[in-house]
Amino acid sequence: MRAALCRAYGPPEDIEICEVADLEPGPGQVVVRVHAAAVNFPDVLLIDGKYQVKIPPPFTPGSELAGEVTAVGDGVSVPVGQRVSATTFVGAFAEQALLPASAVTAIPPGVDFASAAAFGVTYRTAYHALRSIAGVQPGDWVVVLGAAGGVGLAAVDLAVAMKARVLAAASSPEKLELCRRRGAAATVDYDREDLKSRIREHTGDGARAVLDPVGGSYSEPALRALARGGTFVTLGYAAGAIPSIPLNLVLLKGITVRGMEIRTFADDRPGDCARDLHELTEMFATGVIKPYIGARFPLEDTAAALRLVADRKAVGKVVIDVTA
């Protein structure tokens, strides 16, 4: 089979497409023929050795996929031929993936492989942040930074579905137009406008939550624009810099600053995780939400897909069509 391979830590351009041995399932495992895989910003950090958890090279990157089960190990009840999606730490950018049977989920009828691959990581991250961490309610103003990216656009979609009012902040007119099409009530170009004053102007000093997967210079002005008692959720640092927050802002406004990491959320809050996943799966299966796929690449162009995400030029989700 073919697989993308990270032989040593480095930039996306160092990724190679190689022929490797086919996979065989052990007890409790399944092999999935991958049809589509989605690219996430942590994939870029992993191949560069800059993620919080390091995977020793060589390895195949990629954390979410969709395909069909082609082989199962002992003790597995998942049928061969079942259409499934899955999230995994690494291994998705390949024609086959070896996974625990417990990690795969049946794809709802009528959902295509690309949408199934694009759904898992970003929508789970955004919904846990909105539902369990920020406690967003109907009518609340929610500020989403990086609103046209993977997590950001998922947060826009979900906050709209939750009947919140969304202020989408992004870096170009094209990205903001997409956010408006997805239901954002207001938008801010944070590279050309004053973020703090525009948030206050649009929300009337009523922003109840900020979701921030970007970091950098955008975090502090968004935090300053929160209403008293608001919640700031930090989700990542796609801008490349981890911001320092003046704690006096937290004190004076009674703000709550929370972090949420998808990798550990289920262990930290199993009850909330189970509830959120049930609600989220229902929204996906019934068509209330559907990922926006902004770019698609064949497997041989995995490096280009990773570069698009690394340069923060992606709009919505970037998908690798493995079987193309």
Side-chain angles (χ1 to χ4, degrees):
M1 71 160 180
R2 294 184 304 153
L5 197 64
C6 173
R7 293 190 184 275
Y9 295 138
E13 289 71 23
D14 289 351
I15 294 294
E16 302 176 27
I17 305 301
C18 305
E19 287 287 340
V20 299
D22 286 344
L23 302 174
E24 296 291 337
Q29 295 179 321
V30 299
V31 173
V32 175
R33 181 185 180 221
V34 180
H35 285 256
V39 184
N40 295 288
F41 191 72
D43 300 326
V44 175
L45 299 178
L46 274 167
I47 65 171
D48 205 17
K50 295 180 178 178
Y51 193 62
Q52 297 97 319
V53 178
K54 288 182 170 55
I55 300 294
F59 65 89
T60 292
S63 56
E64 57 184 339
L65 59 93
E68 55 188 319
V69 174
T70 57
V72 301
D74 292 341
V76 173
S77 60
V78 179
V80 171
Q82 175 74 59
R83 299 168 72 246
V84 297
S85 61
T87 57
T88 179
F89 201 46
V90 292
F93 301 161
E95 291 179 330
Q96 297 175 4
L98 180 65
L99 301 161
S102 58
V104 302
T105 301
I107 298 174
V111 174
D112 61 277
F113 286 120
S115 294
F119 171 71
V121 172
T122 53
Y123 279 84
R124 285 169 53 205
T125 299
Y127 196 58
H128 292 326
L130 290 164
R131 177 78 160 93
S132 293
I133 305 300
V136 168
Q137 298 295 315
D140 285 351
W141 272 107
V142 177
V143 177
V144 180
L145 306 185
V151 171
L153 200 57
V156 171
D157 290 347
L158 289 166
V160 169
M162 297 166 72
K163 303 189 185 306
R165 294 175 290 177
V166 176
L167 188 155
S171 60
S172 74
E174 294 77 16
K175 290 179 178 180
L176 296 176
E177 173 57 28
L178 173 61
C179 293
R180 286 190 288 270
R181 294 203 307 267
R182 303 292 280 195
T187 57
V188 175
D189 186 331
Y190 51 29
D191 282 349
R192 295 169 179 81
E193 301 178 86
D194 183 85
L195 181 59
K196 181 181 74 172
S197 63
R198 292 290 282 165
I199 291 173
R200 287 179 170 172
E201 176 185 330
H202 283 300
T203 68
D205 288 338
R208 300 303 309 170
V210 170
L211 267 63
D212 179 13
V214 181
S217 62
Y218 309 108
S219 300
E220 185 175 328
L223 182 114
R224 287 182 180 273
L226 268 174
R228 282 196 61 80
T231 301
F232 183 99
V233 186
T234 177
L235 297 169
Y237 311 102
I242 299 174
S244 297
I245 298 298
L247 285 179
N248 64 310
L249 299 178
V250 179
L251 171 68
L252 294 173
K253 300 182 72 171
I255 291 167
T256 299
V257 178
R258 302 286 299 275
M260 204 292 291
E261 186 189 22
I262 190 65
R263 186 174 58 88
T264 56
F265 185 78
D267 292 334
D268 293 341
R269 303 176 66 162
D272 288 342
C273 183
R275 178 203 62 199
D276 292 355
L277 290 178
H278 174 76
E279 295 172 354
L280 189 57
T281 300
E282 180 68 16
M283 285 190 280
F284 183 49
T286 57
V288 172
I289 53 173
K290 182 177 181 178
Y292 176 85
I293 298 171
R296 301 175 76 149
F297 294 83
L299 181 63
E300 54 264 30
D301 290 338
T302 295
L306 286 161
R307 172 52 64 191
L308 189 69
V309 173
D311 289 346
R312 296 179 56 212
K313 293 181 179 178
V315 177
K317 293 291 290 188
V318 175
V319 167
I320 296 173
D321 291 309
V322 177
T323 56

